[in-house]
Amino acid sequence: MTARWRYIMVEAFTGLRRNLMMTFAVVLSVTVSLTLLGASLLLSDQVDLATDDWVGRVEVSIFLCDDRTCPAITPEQQDDLRSELESQEVVAEVFYESKREAFERFQELFSDQPSLVDAIDPDTLPASFRVRLENPNLFNVIADQFSAFPGVDEIVDQREVLNQFLRFTNVVRNAALIVAAIQLVAAGVLIANTIRVAAFARREQTSVMRLVGASNWYIRLPFVLEGVMAGLIGALVSWGLLYATVPRVAGNLSRDIELMPFIGAEQVILVGPWLLIAGTGIAAFSSIVALRRFLDV
Amino acid sequence: MIRLQNVTKTYKRGSDGEVVALKDVSIEVNKGEFVFVVGPSGSGKSTFMKLLTREQVIDEGELWVAGKNLGTLRAWKVPVLRREIGYVYQDFKLLSNKTVYENIAFALEVIGKHRREIERRVPEVLELVGLADKAKAQPHELSGGQQQRVSVARAFVNNPRILLCDEPTGNLDPSTSVGIMKLLDRINRTGATVVMATHDQHIVDSMRRRVIELEDGVVVRDQSRGVYGYGS
């Protein structure tokens, strides 16, 4: 390390040590904001993971007529429908679900509500083709093409159910993001103030440096580095907090809820670089802004 | 070395008020000259000194210092200008948490000089100002005159082409002031241009150097081998 860099590092550490309370406040506030930021990023990951898993399983249900709402589908019409569906490019797979299978699935799904099951006759539920699409977003193609097909009663996109879930998680995630953003701004203001106090405490030294022709970045870098180090520590602490808690919570949840996969330590590790970038970035930005007026030539 | 051509500098005061600090001033100072700038408070002396180090920027005219046009000099090049200029203040501006040696070395460290050069150059200037034995002392352990010598040593350590002194004897008693003036004279003889703003009549009268007198922002007298005022 050259003499210049040693000077810059020593000055930055001295500044952090000299004002321990302020450093503590900065680290704490960065930690809180970045923990929230990390949590909302991880929630996004969780939603993506669950969505990917579900979307692969989500099907379009094409319910068939059975004389209740329209004339029952004939075996020929049913064969036509099946071969027509299978010839579509967007269709990945077609299953047939008979009335009995539909009833069995219903029984299973609502096994904890016997009164509901008792109310349903094995013949009540319609038979259906369950179609898995290559791209679930192309539901409309199928709906448009087959809703008027003879013997077809109704076409239902199961994705609607998923969308409701997604809307809810998006609200939660956005709320977390907004709070994180506000906290991050507060942390930035706190850093700016801390750096200004530090610069004021060393104004004699910086005025001498200006006087003898030290370059601007050389005068500022210790202060900027002081802010960045506080931001870095805050980012590392929040990363550690998330690493210690999130995989455990997700693990507990996945034991209770078997419907979807949960994120683990891997996602928490991947979110770390973003926390470091956000923490050091906001610290560097607010330090530089704080010094703009103060140390100008 | 220093050339002002029809330089005007105005300070804004509030929304409508304006204070003209320098009005159409033209001065030329050649390499190796020793110049006193005299005048009452508010005459524009301080503004003149601040323009030379580009702490302030001229409004009109042209200003050249050490071969640089300060009217068009980019902000990031200002440090390069200041490395050509040594500056001595009335109140010394020494760092109290550093020793005499460290105070002088600091001026070289922060402009990126190598340690070997620092270790060679600092004892040299300490010798020049007669404080070789005080290298390890803290500034508060020194007398005012000694502190000002340290300040001169710091200003001169980088071999500047110009030495600007703003009331360097303002806080010193007359006999100590004479010592400082001898030191400045010695530095001037090595080829450095010295510009000194002062109120000290005795010093100006005894040195018999060029005197530029400012009053209300205008040069009212520019005299080689001059004295402080007409009355004396």
Side-chain angles (χ1 to χ4, degrees):
Chain A
M1 202 159 35
T2 67
R4 302 188 97 180
W5 280 102
R6 195 169 51 238
Y7 164 81
I8 288 168
M9 296 302 286
V10 166
E11 283 294 303
F13 273 113
T14 309
L16 285 172
R17 245 202 349 260
R18 199 174 307 176
N19 212 336
L20 261 183
M21 289 298 275
M22 213 61 169
T23 306
F24 180 71
V26 167
V27 169
L28 197 67
S29 123
V30 171
T31 302
V32 169
S33 58
L34 290 184
T35 306
L36 276 168
L37 178 71
S40 55
L41 288 175
L42 287 172
L43 191 58
S44 289
D45 279 353
Q46 174 60 45
V47 167
D48 288 348
L49 198 64
T51 312
D52 280 351
D53 182 64
W54 283 7
V55 161
R57 289 192 282 171
V58 159
E59 295 155 352
V60 175
S61 300
I62 302 178
F63 293 104
L64 305 177
C65 289
D66 61 353
D67 276 332
R68 266 174 228 276
T69 51
C70 47
I73 191 167
T74 64
E76 292 80 38
Q77 283 172 336
Q78 195 171 314
D79 286 346
D80 279 355
L81 179 57
R82 178 171 203 128
S83 56
E84 191 68 28
L85 278 170
E86 279 171 345
S87 70
Q88 295 292 315
E89 253 178 59
V90 298
V91 170
E93 251 178 310
V94 179
F95 307 95
Y96 176 72
E97 189 179 66
S98 68
K99 279 174 171 289
R100 172 137 299 275
E101 283 162 348
F103 179 69
E104 278 165 4
R105 206 157 65 91
F106 184 83
Q107 272 184 316
E108 198 181 325
L109 207 57
F110 295 99
S111 55
D112 54 343
Q113 287 165 272
S115 59
L116 195 63
V117 175
D118 290 345
I120 300 288
D121 194 69
D123 200 40
T124 317
L125 297 171
S128 63
F129 278 116
R130 313 193 81 87
V131 179
R132 208 161 56 73
L133 301 179
E134 293 284 4
N135 175 357
N137 294 320
L138 295 175
F139 166 73
N140 285 336
V141 176
I142 298 298
D144 291 349
Q145 215 168 338
F146 291 96
S147 55
F149 207 86
V152 169
D153 184 11
E154 198 187 6
I155 301 185
V156 173
D157 185 5
Q158 291 184 338
R159 222 165 28 131
E160 260 316 297
V161 184
L162 179 60
N163 281 343
Q164 277 171 4
F165 168 77
L166 287 182
R167 271 194 287 275
F168 170 72
T169 51
N170 272 341
V171 168
V172 173
R173 188 194 57 190
N174 289 343
L177 266 180
I178 289 168
V179 177
I182 293 171
Q183 276 289 336
L184 213 55
V185 170
V189 172
L190 194 60
I191 289 169
N193 191 49
T194 307
I195 295 308
R196 206 168 284 200
V197 168
F200 188 74
R202 278 175 272 170
R203 65 192 179 284
E204 282 188 350
Q205 188 166 329
T206 50
S207 84
V208 168
M209 291 172 83
R210 268 207 304 261
L211 176 81
V212 300
S215 63
N216 251 331
W217 69 266
Y218 192 74
I219 297 173
R220 286 170 197 211
L221 211 56
F223 298 109
V224 175
L225 217 60
E226 188 178 327
V228 166
M229 274 196 270
L232 189 70
I233 295 169
L236 288 173
V237 172
S238 68
W239 196 4
L241 277 177
L242 290 170
Y243 189 79
T245 53
V246 169
R248 194 171 305 169
V249 171
N252 286 342
L253 280 174
S254 69
R255 228 166 292 137
D256 294 339
I257 306 168
E258 287 166 355
L259 273 176
M260 56 177 166
F262 279 91
I263 55 170
E266 188 195 344
Q267 278 87 353
V268 181
I269 289 170
L270 287 176
V271 100
W274 296 109
L275 297 182
L276 294 185
I277 290 170
T280 54
I282 193 86
F285 176 76
S286 29
S287 305
I288 288 166
V289 169
L291 293 173
R292 248 175 85 180
R293 280 284 184 69
F294 202 85
L295 295 182
D296 261 354
V297 286
Chain B
M1 187 58 51
I2 300 170
R3 187 153 60 87
L4 291 81
Q5 222 163 27
N6 310 105
V7 167
T8 297
K9 174 68 191 175
T10 315
Y11 293 111
K12 303 266 183 296
R13 287 281 154 77
S15 51
D16 40 17
E18 277 194 344
V19 179
V20 180
L22 287 179
K23 216 179 314 180
D24 200 24
V25 171
S26 297
I27 297 172
E28 182 147 8
V29 177
N30 291 318
K31 185 178 185 311
E33 267 194 282
F34 194 119
V35 182
F36 287 112
V37 180
V38 302
S41 302
S43 59
K45 284 198 314 279
S46 302
T47 299
F48 174 70
M49 301 295 267
K50 281 179 180 159
L51 288 177
L52 297 184
T53 53
R54 205 175 165 294
E55 277 175 79
Q56 296 288 342
V57 186
I58 59 169
D59 295 325
E60 281 168 51
E62 238 178 71
L63 171 57
W64 291 79
V65 175
K68 293 179 178 64
N69 183 348
L70 300 206
T72 59
L73 191 72
R74 301 276 185 160
W76 63 270
K77 277 199 165 173
V78 171
V80 181
L81 167 76
R82 293 193 181 150
R83 289 173 199 187
E84 308 262 18
I85 301 173
Y87 209 108
V88 180
Y89 283 98
Q90 179 172 3
D91 56 357
F92 322 136
K93 288 203 191 291
L94 299 176
L95 300 175
S96 53
N97 58 344
K98 292 185 189 297
T99 65
V100 166
Y101 183 96
E102 287 165 349
N103 261 286
I104 299 168
F106 184 67
L108 294 177
E109 278 164 15
V110 300
I111 58 173
K113 294 288 185 199
H114 287 291
R115 196 187 315 180
R116 237 168 298 131
E117 189 177 348
I118 296 172
E119 283 167 359
R120 180 179 59 78
R121 187 64 189 145
V122 176
E124 256 176 41
V125 283
L126 274 174
E127 187 73 35
L128 175 78
V129 302
L131 289 176
D133 56 334
K134 299 285 186 191
K136 289 200 171 67
Q138 299 281 329
H140 66 85
E141 296 166 346
L142 303 178
S143 70
Q146 288 170 326
Q147 288 188 46
Q148 192 58 297
R149 283 167 185 274
V150 177
S151 164
V152 171
R154 183 182 61 191
F156 191 61
V157 70
N158 191 31
N159 268 320
R161 296 206 265 170
I162 301 171
L163 199 65
L164 298 181
C165 311
D166 194 358
E167 306 270 4
T169 60
N171 284 3
L172 306 177
D173 60 63
S175 60
T176 315
S177 300
V178 170
I180 294 292
M181 291 315 297
K182 281 185 178 157
L183 179 56
L184 293 180
D185 188 49
R186 186 128 51 98
I187 287 173
N188 175 237
R189 283 175 206 282
T190 67
T193 308
V194 178
V195 177
M196 172 169 160
T198 187
H199 275 123
D200 198 324
Q201 184 177 335
H202 291 290
I203 282 174
V204 176
D205 291 349
S206 63
M207 294 283 288
R208 289 281 166 169
R209 297 299 187 105
R210 181 176 171 190
V211 175
I212 295 171
E213 185 174 349
L214 292 170
E215 209 177 299
D216 293 331
V218 182
V219 177
V220 293
R221 178 163 62 108
D222 187 346
Q223 196 176 19
S224 56
R225 304 187 62 78
V227 293
Y228 187 81
Y230 291 120
S232 47

